[in-house]
Amino acid sequence: MEPAIAIQNLNHYFGKGQLRKQVLFDITLEINAGEIVIMTGPSGSGKTTLLTLVGGLRSAQEGSLRVLGKELCGANDKQLTLARRSHGYIFQAHNLHGSLTALQNVKMGLELHHSLSPQEMYTRAAEMLEMVGLGNRLNYYPDDLSGGQKQRVAIARALVSHPKIVLADEPTAALDSKSGRDVVNLMQTLAKEQGCTILLVTHDNRILDIADRIVYMEDGKLANAPVAAVASVG
């Protein structure tokens, strides 16, 4: 069975000409379906860049990047758009629309799924908010929600379409320890129930224990984690 994410000898560059700078070096990584993998390492090490390539937010340049069986290296805009339909995204800043209610924000996660009626979208969005503990906040606007509640709405939006892959970039960075723990426990539970793969970038050592596996990046390369990081997991 092919891995959900299969990366081989991946290189990536920013800029052109004399300003061209290599930011990812010979990345090889496989992530199996249903696996929760945390990627950690210093700021500027290339973690978010790799996450955006896996997520189809930009096209990979050299090597091979297969996501759900589709090659994304050299993919055009249409191919990347199609690939993104199988993904859910959770960002450090929840990226909610302030003019939309919690329910409307979550419904946005279903907008690309044209087979669903407006009523089906409403029902699924409401059910997902119920699952994240916000069933009594459907019509609240982001300004009326706490940081932890906003991030729960973002998780509900990412998971409402039952994506095969969830990509999370520092999802607990703006949260206190309890809210952060609640958020990752929620991701873990819902992902296991839905059978999706999670790739999560974090600096938060408090949540490393949810991972099936931890990978460490430094200077654009996959590396062995420092002893201190390993010890904090155990």
Side-chain angles (χ1 to χ4, degrees):
M1 184 176 176
E2 184 170 1
I5 300 168
I7 306 169
Q8 286 188 318
N9 308 118
L10 184 70
N11 297 301
H12 197 74
Y13 306 82
F14 286 152
K16 293 181 179 178
Q18 291 184 328
L19 297 177
R20 191 172 191 240
K21 179 185 177 185
Q22 188 165 357
V23 291
L24 294 179
F25 298 81
D26 199 30
I27 302 291
T28 295
L29 176 67
E30 289 190 350
I31 300 175
N32 294 316
E35 196 173 12
I36 298 177
V37 172
I38 283 181
M39 186 159 47
T40 187
S43 295
S45 58
K47 304 183 301 298
T48 295
T49 299
L50 183 57
L51 199 71
T52 61
L53 293 175
V54 171
L57 297 177
R58 53 165 61 102
S59 183
Q61 295 164 341
E62 286 182 8
S64 176
L65 171 56
R66 293 181 64 81
V67 179
L68 301 175
K70 298 284 193 304
E71 178 61 64
L72 298 188
C73 197
N76 60 34
D77 288 345
K78 183 178 180 181
Q79 291 168 322
L80 293 176
T81 299
L82 286 173
R84 289 196 293 268
R85 292 186 181 179
S86 301
H87 305 158
Y89 297 89
I90 304 167
F91 298 102
Q92 176 177 343
H94 41 76
N95 288 357
L96 301 181
H97 287 264
S99 61
L100 301 180
T101 64
L103 182 75
Q104 290 167 331
N105 269 286
V106 174
K107 274 176 63 181
M108 286 188 66
L110 296 170
E111 295 291 336
L112 290 173
H113 298 264
H114 304 302
S115 60
L116 297 175
S117 70
Q119 182 57 47
E120 286 173 315
M121 288 186 186
Y122 176 94
T123 301
R124 280 177 63 168
E127 287 174 349
M128 185 56 69
L129 282 166
E130 184 75 42
M131 289 179 72
V132 302
L134 292 176
N136 60 343
R137 298 283 192 277
L138 300 187
N139 297 314
Y140 280 54
Y141 289 90
D143 282 351
D144 300 318
L145 299 173
S146 69
Q149 288 171 334
K150 290 175 188 175
Q151 200 64 309
R152 286 168 180 257
V153 176
I155 289 174
R157 181 180 59 190
L159 293 175
V160 70
S161 64
H162 299 288
K164 295 185 172 73
I165 293 176
V166 170
L167 303 168
D169 193 2
E170 300 280 4
T172 65
L175 304 177
D176 60 50
S177 57
K178 183 182 186 306
S179 297
R181 169 54 60 181
D182 289 346
V183 159
V184 294
N185 285 347
L186 190 61
M187 287 174 61
Q188 184 182 36
T189 300
L190 294 178
K192 292 298 185 188
E193 287 176 359
Q194 296 186 8
C196 71
T197 306
I198 292 182
L199 178 58
L200 188 155
V201 166
T202 190
H203 289 107
D204 190 349
N205 288 340
R206 301 169 301 184
I207 66 170
L208 298 181
D209 57 298
I210 73 155
D212 296 315
R213 185 158 49 105
I214 295 169
V215 295
Y216 185 80
M217 278 194 78
E218 189 167 18
D219 298 327
K221 302 170 185 172
L222 291 181
N224 293 321
V227 173
V230 175
S232 67
V233 183

